[in-house]
Structures are given as structure tokens and as C-alpha cells.
Amino acid sequence: MTNSFLYPIESKTRQVKDLCGLWKFKLDKHNEGRAAGWKDGLAGTIPMAVPSSYNDIFTQKELREHVGDVWYQTETYIPKEWKDREVVLRFGSATHSAVVWVNGVQVAQHQGGYMPFSARLNEVVTFGERCRIVVVVNNELSYTTIPTGVQKTLPNGRKVQSPFFDFFNYAGLHRPVKLLALPKEHIHDITVSTDFADGEGKIRYDITAAGEHSVNVEVFDEAGNQVASAHGKTGEVAIKDVRLWEPGNAYLYDFKVTLAEGEELLDEYVLPVGIRSVEVKGNRFFINKKPFYFKGFGKHEDCAMHGRGYDPVVMLRDFELLRWIHANSVRTAHYPYSEEFMRLCDREGLVVIDETPAVGLFDQLMNFLGAGTGKQSRFFEREIVHTETIENHKDAIRELVLRDKNHPSVVMWCLANEPDSSLAQAEDYFEKIFSYARTLDVQKRPMTFTNIMVAPYGSCKVSHLSDVICLNRYYGWYVNGGPDIDIARENFEKELEQWSSTGKPIILTEYGADTMPGLHKLPSVMWSEEYQEEYLKMQHEVFDSCDSVVGEQMWNFADFQTSEGIMRVDGNKKGAFTRDRQPKAAAYLLRERWKKIDSRNYKA
Ligand code: BDP
């Protein structure tokens, strides 16, 4: 029962020891470590920050862009007071796959770079003594990994990798690593779903816990008053005069679960719960039974030097900027974000479209380049995609729902970004993906995927499976850019009108123009700050003319790092903010617009 997706918290019965800091690190240049027994201890190491991406710390290109294994090691004491406890080692993530040994014994293995995983250590440690933790992390991509990519070996023997996606393939231990002491018989999982009617809130719950002990539930409001209680592993509690979790106005109840044997408290876990409802009806998206309008961004976990490593300073700055600009929502493009980020979204009332790492299901090197040229690829014609990739994709969805199911901020699951959905075989693949995903979430949240521009209305074989039409569109940038911007407008309007005929709500999950901060041009040219503003104004006019549009999430919140190439100048420059989180002119334009859009009760 150790691989629990419950976020590690302290309580009367649980302790947490943070293992973040400088670990020993060794790059496995010749891919020899697994055979040479590096699991028993690393020699010739350098220090490495955990959490972080290791890439941008290096000055040498072959280290920054290393393809293959890297090794981490740390030592820690297992307190002797923990001997009657279950000791669990927990990684927030390891990108993209990892094997963990403690004192030379393999305790965990995990595939998928953005999900937590853990291992029980009781059998491999001596209480009161030091133990050695060794982890190998691998960053290799293939047709069957999620996300996807290919690699080749240069004549000089060096491996290089081409991801099928437009962000740098940062790797390493990106999120906190923790040691937990849990009661031997503990609460393993909690699942809640919520609703309300006539001022009364409801929380339905289901608790998994070891043994046949008595399970109690108490609900406290933000002032600490107990507002409901219940007994048993499954049930429902009602809350009178409920305060709803509203976008931009979050309210969280403490849902306290205790496990007891007579008078003895065995375990206690407190889950923050927001009471809200989500529903798609006709061409509207309802939160708390009111039509909701999404305004915000597709984001990335990305910043200078840390790469994709969790950094609370950057996270808080991002929330400040999101508030400042009057955003109410984000999409976690193109992978699940840290658990710390998700918990803050709950607290801050930021609405989340939660995305899996299924990006690059489009068979072309740098598929974003091919997308602009309209070149077609054959990803879903490969047999292996339907046997192996699909299984990894399902695992990624299952783990995402397990981890994030209780977050009130999550209002929709995005199962993939820009797959090659114009291929006939994509329909079969996604029928399986959607029907599998729909069995997982007890809250029955809407499910979607983002549609790429080269699979427009009429040619996309997948959109009928989706509850909301999410479009990534670059009229005025990749097509009809610069002097052709008026044609862009016409083509865009036409396409939106066609999608409206589906009767489903439409969200523009990407629209944007690369912009060099500080480049000013009168009259405007592409890449100047003036052009980004003109482009955005045009886009917004088009959205406003289409009744079915229920949201706009500009691409991207901030500039971010990508693989190098002729399309990118030190990364993707479509940010409203620079990579160091300062506003471009476009940020002021968005702020003015979003200030005026009342996102609750919009287009009622
Ligand atoms: C879309 C992708 C996104 C890219 C963006 C772009 O979803 O990852 O960064 O285009 O080209 O195709 O800027």
C-alpha cells in the first residue's frame, strides 16, 4: 500500500523529512553504470541540486544535451524512533524514467516524468543508521514513450535526441524528494466528489485504508469550526450554508480523516476540499451552474537555470502575474505540473485544464515546424503505437487522475496535445483513450484534447469524442502572417463558424505570435511588440464574434526554452512575459481586456 498518491503532509500520526539539497551526481557518458554496479555507490561525482533540471547548470554542450542515464546519490539517517512505522521514500517526479536502490537493493522503478512514485524501505534499512539512496534517471524518448521523440547516433558515437515537441527536454529530479514515516496501518487514498443545492453542500467520499479499523470523517470550515462529520469508509456529508469554491474566490474546507482502534488514533490525514460543480451543457461550460469564460494561458514549468525544477519563488511570481493580468485559468501544457502548484491553484481559485504528457503524437522531427507547413505525418499508422504507446498513454492518464482527482481547481482533463488527428487510425486510438479515461474520474469532469491547425473542421477524426473543442490556432503567425493579417482574420472566422456547428463550447487553448521583447517597429513587423499587440487584438475580435467561444488561453504565459533550430531564437518567444517574468506590451493589452471580462456568469 505504499504507492499512495496522497500528497505527503505532516499530521499527528505522520512525519515528513525533506531530502532536498545537494546530492552527488554522475553523468553516465558511456552508458556503463547499470552493468558496472553504480547502484552500490557512485565514485567521481559532482554536486547537483535537487530539485532541478541538471541541464542548464553545465557549460559543456554534450553534458547539457546528454542522452541517456544520469545518476544521483544521497545518504540519510533513518531515525530509530521510526522502527514501528512504515518508512516510505517518495519522489515528486523523475524525468522521464527512474530506478531507485537503497543500500544496493532495488526499491522502485517508474516510467513517466511528471508523476510521484514511492518505495517502502523497512526491509532494506537499519533503524538508527545511515542509508544510501541511489537513483538512475533516464531522459530517452521513443515512439512508445509519453512524450515521444527519436534519437540518432552521430558518426562520432554521440547520441542526440529529437523530441517531437517544442520545449527543451529538461531532465533530472525535478520535484521534492521526501522520506515519510507513516503508521503501519494507514490511510492510503481518499476520493471526493462534491455538489450543492439550495445552499447545502455535499461531499461524497471513499477512503482506502488498511485493516478493519473505524474510519471517521470531520469537516472544518476555514475558521476551524466543525461543520459536518460521518463514520465509515464511504459515505456523504452535508454542509449547511455552504461556501462554494469559486474561480478567483476559493474556499477550502478541511476534510479530516482519522483511522482509530478504540481510543487509539492510528492515522490522521487532512485533505483540502473545495465544493463546486462542473458541467458542459450545449455550447457553455458551467462552474457552479454559471457559464464560465476561461481567460489565461497555456504555461510551462520553465525558468532560467532551474529548467523545469520546482522553484517556489518562480511559482509565486507566476501567481502574482496571473492575478495582475486578471487571468482566471491555465492549461498545464504539456505535462502535469508539480503537486505544490496544484495545491496553490486550489488555494488561489485558479481554474486548471489538467494535461497529460501526451505531446508529440505527430510523427515528424520538430512537429511544430511541420505543422506550420501543413505536411502530414503517419504517427497513428505505426502498429507499435496501438500496442505499446497506447498502454503508456493510458498509464499516464490513470496516474494523473489518481494524483489530481480531488483538486477543485481541475475542471477538465486534456488527454493529449495536438495529436495527428486527421489520420483514420487516430480515431480508433482515441476511442480507446477516451473511453478508458471516462472510467477513471468519479467527478466525471469533461475530457478534451487540443486540436492542431492541420486537422481542421471536417478533417479531424477525434473531436467528436471531446466534450469541449479546444483549438490551437495561429492564423496571423504560422499562416497568413504580417501583411496577410486580414486574410488570417477571414480564415479564422470561417473555421470558427464551422466548429460552432458541432454545438459544443470552444476554447482557444493556444494562439500567439513570437515577439522579441524590446523590438519596436512603426509600422509593425512580425516579431515586434507592436505586431504581437495587433495580432492579439485581431484574435480577440474574432473570439468575440463567435458565440460558442467560452475561453481564450494565450500561448504562452512566458517565453520558454526549446530545442535549438531555425524557428527559435534562444527558445520560444510567444510569452506575454519574458522568461524572467517581466511584461511585454501585450501583457498590458491582455490585462485591459481581461479586467473587463466578467468570467463568471459570462454569456449566460
Ligand atoms: C503548438 C504547440 C506548442 C508550441 C506552439 C508554438 O502545442 O507546444 O510551442 O505550437 O509553435 O503547436 O509556439
Side-chain angles (χ1 to χ4, degrees), residues 158-280:
R158 204 178 125 207
K159 268 202 239 170
V160 289
Q161 182 151 248
S162 305
F164 293 165
F165 48 81
D166 182 33
F167 49 92
F168 191 82
N169 188 31
Y170 282 118
L173 295 178
H174 280 151
R175 295 179 188 159
V177 184
K178 291 173 181 169
L179 202 57
L180 323 179
L182 305 179
K184 278 260 155 76
E185 307 226 302
H186 57 261
I187 299 155
H188 183 69
D189 196 14
I190 305 171
T191 308
V192 298
S193 61
T194 66
D195 204 353
F196 63 93
D198 306 323
E200 188 177 85
K202 279 206 172 68
I203 306 175
R204 274 180 297 279
Y205 67 86
D206 186 15
I207 294 154
T208 324
E212 287 310 307
H213 307 290
S214 79
V215 175
N216 287 309
V217 164
E218 290 167 280
V219 184
F220 298 90
D221 66 15
E222 285 189 356
N225 305 310
Q226 198 202 82
V227 292
S229 65
H231 299 288
K233 284 187 175 172
T234 55
E236 183 176 294
V237 287
I239 295 156
K240 292 216 162 53
D241 301 323
V242 66
R243 286 273 307 267
L244 296 180
W245 186 94
E246 296 271 13
N249 189 17
Y251 193 89
L252 292 175
Y253 290 92
D254 273 345
F255 186 85
K256 181 160 125 187
V257 179
T258 51
L259 201 63
E261 189 57 61
E263 290 296 288
E264 191 197 352
L265 175 70
L266 299 177
D267 194 12
E268 173 188 287
Y269 190 92
V270 181
L271 179 78
V273 171
I275 299 177
R276 57 107 185 84
S277 68
V278 174
E279 196 187 2
V280 170

Side-chain angles (χ1 to χ4, degrees), residues 166 334 417-418 472 474 478 510 555 560 568 572 574:
D166 182 33
H334 290 311
N417 181 67
E418 298 194 343
N472 294 353
Y474 289 94
Y478 290 122
E510 284 185 30
W555 191 253
F560 58 92
R568 297 290 176 254
N572 187 308
K574 296 193 184 68

Side-chain angles (χ1 to χ4, degrees), residues 183-437:
K184 278 260 155 76
E185 307 226 302
H186 57 261
I187 299 155
H188 183 69
D189 196 14
I190 305 171
T191 308
V192 298
S193 61
T194 66
D195 204 353
F196 63 93
D198 306 323
E200 188 177 85
K202 279 206 172 68
I203 306 175
R204 274 180 297 279
Y205 67 86
D206 186 15
I207 294 154
T208 324
E212 287 310 307
H213 307 290
S214 79
V215 175
N216 287 309
V217 164
E218 290 167 280
V219 184
F220 298 90
D221 66 15
E222 285 189 356
N225 305 310
Q226 198 202 82
V227 292
S229 65
H231 299 288
K233 284 187 175 172
T234 55
E236 183 176 294
V237 287
I239 295 156
K240 292 216 162 53
D241 301 323
V242 66
R243 286 273 307 267
L244 296 180
W245 186 94
E246 296 271 13
N249 189 17
Y251 193 89
L252 292 175
Y253 290 92
D254 273 345
F255 186 85
K256 181 160 125 187
V257 179
T258 51
L259 201 63
E261 189 57 61
E263 290 296 288
E264 191 197 352
L265 175 70
L266 299 177
D267 194 12
E268 173 188 287
Y269 190 92
V270 181
L271 179 78
V273 171
I275 299 177
R276 57 107 185 84
S277 68
V278 174
E279 196 187 2
V280 170
K281 236 183 0 199
N283 66 353
R284 293 288 180 263
F285 195 104
F286 293 86
I287 298 182
N288 295 339
K289 304 174 189 177
K290 286 180 262 172
F292 179 72
Y293 192 85
F294 294 77
K295 30 177 201 171
F297 299 97
K299 266 185 111 280
H300 263 297
E301 285 184 320
D302 170 280
C303 80
M305 281 179 287
H306 297 243
R308 221 170 294 307
Y310 169 66
D311 181 336
V313 177
V314 177
M315 178 173 76
L316 292 180
R317 172 71 179 176
D318 286 1
F319 270 88
E320 277 296 313
L321 294 176
L322 289 164
R323 261 194 303 273
W324 174 84
I325 207 165
H326 300 282
N328 62 11
S329 64
V330 293
R331 176 170 62 111
T332 66
H334 290 311
Y335 38 79
Y337 292 0
S338 72
E339 293 163 291
E340 291 74 16
F341 177 86
M342 299 305 290
R343 285 169 74 86
L344 200 55
C345 290
D346 290 347
R347 285 263 160 237
E348 297 291 322
L350 189 70
V351 168
V352 177
I353 301 176
D354 206 2
E355 186 159 291
T356 70
V359 53
L361 310 187
F362 203 118
D363 183 359
Q364 253 170 315
L365 298 190
M366 298 166 71
N367 87 62
F368 64 98
L369 235 179
T373 62
K375 262 171 45 192
Q376 289 299 315
S377 70
R378 305 253 158 240
F379 189 85
F380 293 100
E381 288 173 7
R382 290 170 190 268
E383 207 183 313
I384 200 165
V385 166
H386 298 268
T387 53
E388 287 183 32
T389 317
I390 194 167
E391 292 310 317
N392 290 332
H393 193 169
K394 283 183 186 169
D395 280 349
I397 298 170
R398 183 178 51 77
E399 291 195 354
L400 177 68
V401 175
L402 256 174
R403 194 196 73 164
D404 288 352
K405 61 189 171 185
N406 293 323
H407 289 292
S409 52
V410 174
V411 301
M412 179 153 65
W413 307 105
C414 181
L415 304 183
N417 181 67
E418 298 194 343
D420 192 354
S421 60
S422 64
L423 292 180
Q425 294 87 341
E427 181 168 6
D428 178 49
Y429 180 97
F430 276 99
E431 264 169 11
K432 291 183 182 131
I433 287 292
F434 270 86
S435 65
Y436 175 71

